[in-house]
Amino acid sequence: MAGGGFAVDAPTKGFDGKITISVIMTCIVAASSGLIFGYDVGVSGGVTTMIPFLKKFFPSILRKAAGAEVNMYCVYDSQVLTLFTSSLYLAGLVSSLAASRVTMALGRRNTIMLGGAIFLVGGAINGGAENIAMLILGRILLGLGVGFTNQAAPLYLSEIAPPKWRGAFNTGFQFFLGVGVVAAGCINYGTAKHSWGWRLSLGLAVVPAAVMTVGAFLISDTPSSLVERGKFDEARIALRKIRGSSVDVEPELEELISWSQVSKSIDQEPFMTIFERQYRPHLVMAFFIPFFQQLTGINIVAFYSPNLFQSVGLGNDAALLSTIILGVVNLLSILISTSFVDRFGRRFLFITGGILMFACQIAVSVLLAMVTGIHGTKEISKGNAILVLVLLCFYAAGFGWSWGPLTWLIPSEIFPLKIRTTGQSIAVGVQFITLFALSQTFLTMLCHFKFGAFLFYAIWIGVMTIFVIFFLPETKGIPLESMYVIWGKHWFWRRFVKGVDDQANLP
């Protein structure tokens, strides 16, 4: 099949392991790192529709909304308001690039704890903010924390999970991210009418950060990370915990040590190694998968859906409630991904989710064009506003079983050990810089493009689905150390990599 949709019989060494209680609990704790990113994504959009928050920090938006003649698409067009949202992602970009070295030096678990502690401080500053400078400072600290955890947690999950169920375990990060979004939406809905509601919504970010940070103290680091840092005895203990006491872990430990030694024998900077021709396929995926994820428009919809639904006539309470509905739909669809990602594979979920999202974005664009007019000056009925919500629910469902969890999974599983943290840093960095650009420009784009903003994302969803069909090979069930096989058998990428037999000696 074009696009490499074949099954690959990768060489395995019998290290698949079992699903033990230790594996489950460890992965739940690591996946809970998604809570802080999800909470932030869910809380910021709702807070920016709260009257007391706007009165204190952005009174010009309230004056614009009260104007007699106002374009429904332009009410929330404020560069300072979007900077409140997007500053986090610029800070996340900086920390995600630094996180590669931090993760290698401190390990996956300690990096998760570091990120959680920084995020906790940022949440406290936002909750007590008295001016825009404090808001932005808090957001920057939140971004630094998220950058570290988004780098370390998916790597942790991919390295700790048995290969046969790696996809399902890794989707746990996106599941907790979805839980964070829904929790934030519920809190926003409950606090919106109170003058101090925005402070509670922003300040409660310390709760998921504390849960995640404390939880990380209770788990051990991954065997791969421990071996990478020369802690062989601790790696042996960690392997026995996650594989089960009845399993002989020595052969697997010896292989991890061997791969680590070969990796260290190559005296070259990981950031230089990753640009070698043989790693071109990996680098392309590390760039385009997170880049395309943001161009689905999902986080923009999550940030600004309260603004959007209020603009199209649902009112403040209904707008916040609609955001909760979107979050619940997305959360439930992640469970679909968890159930099927290791059965039907990554490509199947990518393609079906892409087709559904494409259709929904086209439909939203057409509907808004018809009912609000070319210039967006006509009022939209409640019925049509609800129809927009329904279409975006189907769109969120498609994202939830495809580009949501799989964007974290693919970069964390395709890289060899010597450049794994570097590859993950690039993937997270690309995600943040794209997210920063889109979140900073969306409200202006919505004002000028109007319904065409959704058409813009639909076109990109079509492009990325075609990309997956032709260029993404299937990775389900393949051990991390044997992942080189998929590139050697792919119709396009095999021209960049060495033969499978030669690569068997490469980390």
Side-chain angles (χ1 to χ4, degrees), residues 37-321:
F37 192 25
Y39 187 87
D40 178 78
V41 168
V43 81
S44 54
V47 165
T48 57
T49 66
M50 295 183 183
I51 302 300
F53 178 82
L54 293 174
K55 268 185 183 178
K56 185 171 183 64
F57 298 108
F58 305 100
S60 61
I61 291 177
L62 291 178
R63 290 194 295 270
K64 188 189 298 186
E69 292 291 331
V70 61
N71 185 320
M72 59 162 272
Y73 294 108
C74 299
V75 172
Y76 292 95
D77 181 18
S78 164
Q79 286 302 300
V80 181
L81 178 63
T82 51
L83 182 62
F84 164 71
T85 297
S86 62
S87 57
L88 181 148
Y89 306 105
L90 192 59
L93 167 66
V94 173
S95 66
S96 66
L97 296 178
S100 173
R101 293 187 181 278
V102 174
T103 307
M104 290 178 66
L106 301 182
R108 285 50 160 161
R109 185 197 71 157
N110 293 336
T111 304
I112 291 172
M113 287 193 291
L114 175 63
I118 296 173
F119 190 94
L120 192 151
V121 175
I125 291 175
N126 268 174
E130 289 297 333
N131 50 55
I132 291 179
M134 286 185 70
L135 277 182
I136 301 301
L137 174 61
R139 295 289 292 175
I140 289 172
L141 290 174
L142 294 179
L144 293 174
V146 166
F148 284 122
T149 56
N150 285 10
Q151 148 77 1
L155 281 181
Y156 189 103
L157 292 167
S158 284
E159 290 181 349
I160 211 81
K164 186 177 180 181
W165 297 284
R166 185 173 61 246
F169 278 100
N170 201 283
T171 60
F173 183 83
Q174 182 70 22
F175 179 80
F176 276 99
L177 195 156
V179 171
V181 170
V182 173
C186 292
I187 291 169
N188 281 340
Y189 184 74
T191 62
K193 294 184 181 299
H194 300 281
S195 60
W196 43 262
W198 65 270
R199 290 193 183 277
L200 186 61
S201 291
L202 294 177
L204 281 177
V206 303
V207 175
V211 168
M212 182 199 75
T213 306
V214 172
F217 275 107
L218 307 178
I219 61 176
S220 61
D221 212 337
T222 69
S224 295
S225 179
L226 291 167
V227 166
E228 189 177 32
R229 291 177 287 143
K231 300 182 178 184
F232 302 139
D233 290 336
E234 292 182 36
R236 181 180 290 108
I237 294 171
L239 274 173
R240 285 174 179 162
K241 279 185 179 179
I242 62 176
R243 299 293 182 241
S245 57
S246 61
V247 177
D248 180 13
V249 300
E250 291 304 319
E252 183 172 3
L253 178 62
E254 289 174 8
E255 181 171 283
L256 286 174
I257 293 173
S258 175
W259 282 80
S260 179
Q261 289 173 341
V262 173
S263 172
K264 291 177 180 178
S265 69
I266 303 174
D267 187 20
Q268 189 173 359
E269 278 288 314
F271 269 104
M272 297 298 295
T273 303
I274 202 170
F275 287 99
E276 292 178 1
R277 180 178 174 84
Q278 63 180 322
Y279 300 120
R280 192 72 48 78
H282 312 67
L283 185 60
V284 168
M285 293 302 161
F287 180 87
F288 279 106
I289 295 295
F291 175 73
F292 282 147
Q293 188 210 42
Q294 294 311 312
L295 285 170
T296 62
I298 187 65
N299 282 326
I300 303 304
V301 170
F303 298 149
Y304 300 121
S305 55
N307 309 74
L308 173 65
F309 289 129
Q310 192 161 334
S311 294
V312 298
L314 285 180
N316 189 56
D317 288 349
L320 292 174
L321 184 60

